[in-house]
């Protein structure tokens, strides 16, 4: 396959972090909490897909049933989304990114390698399975700015059911609402995504685990982002 991203592959200062974790591990809470100077563009395939579903595009229609059932959207759709999002950022002169939720399979990782998208590090955010399940039923999301809240713990909205930023009414993600779908997403993660850790380790890419059930997760996340 032709190399589509020479800007990233030539080692001219590009820096790509793959952020992965069991559902509701708190990836977006950690990226939102980063100090301004460490923030960088986040390419989140789940967010892009949800926007496509909401807009009713043909890609959204194609992806919707997979998402509603907690299954992975086909790789070719994901690679199209990723290539397009990265191309747009690169046109704006950006070469450092956090990839949130992609790759999710070894096949996606290999396709990224073929496309010339290097990975500098993988950060694996972890919480116990019971915590992930419990957080799913308590997660609320702003449909506008995408900020994530929890009805339990320290990330509650200031006013019940209302986004602190844009005052929109918070919603429950469709794939959080059904415990069966939550269970499928967890199983899919265990079976298809966790093998990526060994895949990257054998390629010499650092894989750093951050436990997000304690109080030091943000500090550990910042350290992980600086791993060379
Ligand atoms: P997320 O917001 O990352 O939990 O993603 C929500 C849903 O979007 C997932 O359950 C999948 O159906 C789909 N999705 C997001 N990223 C990917 C990916 N890299 N590969 C396949 N499906 C994805």
């Amino acid at each position: 396959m032709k190399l589509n991203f020479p800007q990233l592959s030539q080692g001219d200062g590009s820096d790509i972090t793959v952020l992965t974790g069991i559902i509701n591990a708190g990836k977006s809470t950690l990226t939102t909490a980063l100090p301004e100077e460490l923030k960088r563009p986040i390419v989140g395939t789940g967010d892009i897909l949800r926007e496509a579903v909401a807009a009713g595009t043909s890609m959204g229609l194609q992806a919707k049933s997979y998402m509603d059932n907690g299954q992975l959207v086909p790789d070719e759709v994901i690679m199209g989304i990723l290539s397009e999002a990265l191309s747009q950022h690169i046109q704006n002169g950006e070469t450092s990114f956090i990839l949130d939720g992609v790759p999710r399979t070894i096949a996606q990782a290999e396709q990224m390698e073929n496309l010339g998208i290097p990975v500098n590090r993988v950060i694996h955010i972890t919480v116990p399975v019971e915590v992930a399940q419990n957080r799913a039923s308590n997660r609320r999301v702003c449909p506008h700015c995408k900020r994530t809240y929890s009805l339990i713990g320290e990330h509650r909205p200031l006013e019940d059911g209302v986004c602190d930023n844009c005052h929109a009414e918070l919603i429950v993600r469709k794939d959080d609402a059904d415990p069966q779908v939550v269970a499928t997403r967890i199983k899919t993660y265990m079976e298809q995504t966790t093998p990526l850790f060994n895949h990257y380790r054998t390629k010499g890419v650092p894989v750093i685990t951050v436990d997000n059930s304690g109080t030091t997760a943000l500090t550990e996340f910042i350290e992980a982002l600086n791993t060379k």
Side-chain angles (χ1 to χ4, degrees):
M1 195 185 280
K2 121 176 164 344
L3 210 60
N4 287 339
F5 295 103
Q7 308 89 327
L8 301 178
S9 311
Q10 281 160 2
D12 57 355
S14 85
D15 186 280
I16 299 190
T17 299
V18 166
L19 187 58
T20 187
I22 191 166
I23 65 156
N24 278 293
K27 293 186 273 119
S28 62
T29 308
L30 287 172
T31 52
T32 307
L34 279 176
E36 271 322 300
E37 66 277 14
L38 291 180
K39 287 202 165 139
R40 56 202 82 179
I42 297 172
V43 175
T45 40
D47 282 337
I48 297 171
L49 286 166
R50 275 186 290 280
E51 274 165 26
V53 170
T57 65
S58 63
M59 189 219 343
L61 290 176
Q62 214 184 330
K64 188 175 183 317
S65 64
Y66 294 97
M67 296 172 76
D68 286 351
N69 292 315
Q71 290 158 345
L72 293 183
V73 171
D75 290 345
E76 57 274 18
V77 176
I78 298 298
M79 286 303 122
I81 291 174
L82 181 63
S83 300
E84 197 186 316
L86 287 181
S87 301
Q88 279 175 10
H89 282 297
I90 289 168
Q91 270 171 22
N92 295 337
E94 290 153 348
T95 51
S96 293
F97 310 100
I98 293 178
L99 305 185
D100 179 353
V102 64
R104 254 168 152 107
T105 62
I106 290 188
Q108 288 179 12
E110 286 172 346
Q111 287 180 45
M112 281 170 53
E113 283 150 30
N114 291 337
L115 285 169
I117 305 170
V119 171
N120 295 73
R121 66 194 69 75
V122 175
I123 304 183
H124 167 211
I125 311 291
T126 173
V127 292
V129 173
E130 318 77 71
V131 174
Q133 281 163 332
N134 193 24
R135 282 186 186 171
S137 55
N138 286 294
R139 175 158 64 177
R140 298 292 180 273
V141 185
C142 174
H144 288 170
C145 72
K146 317 292 178 225
R147 186 163 164 186
T148 302
Y149 298 87
S150 174
L151 301 186
I152 43 169
E154 54 187 296
H155 299 293
R156 272 177 268 212
L158 294 172
E159 188 186 335
D160 275 355
V162 178
C163 177
D164 296 357
N165 290 344
C166 47
H167 308 291
E169 194 179 328
L170 301 178
I171 56 164
V172 180
R173 264 174 56 165
K174 200 166 179 198
D175 56 357
D176 279 340
D178 180 344
Q180 191 54 52
V181 173
V182 169
T184 304
R185 288 160 67 207
I186 292 175
K187 185 166 181 277
T188 305
Y189 174 76
M190 297 297 185
E191 290 177 357
Q192 302 205 47
T193 304
T194 58
L196 278 174
F197 303 141
N198 263 342
H199 172 84
Y200 279 114
R201 276 193 202 106
T202 55
K203 290 183 177 289
V205 176
V207 177
I208 309 112
T209 298
V210 172
D211 178 353
N212 197 17
S213 45
T215 51
T216 56
L218 182 60
T219 313
E220 288 174 39
F221 181 48
I222 291 171
E223 271 171 28
L225 273 177
N226 287 323
T227 306
K228 298 285 176 214

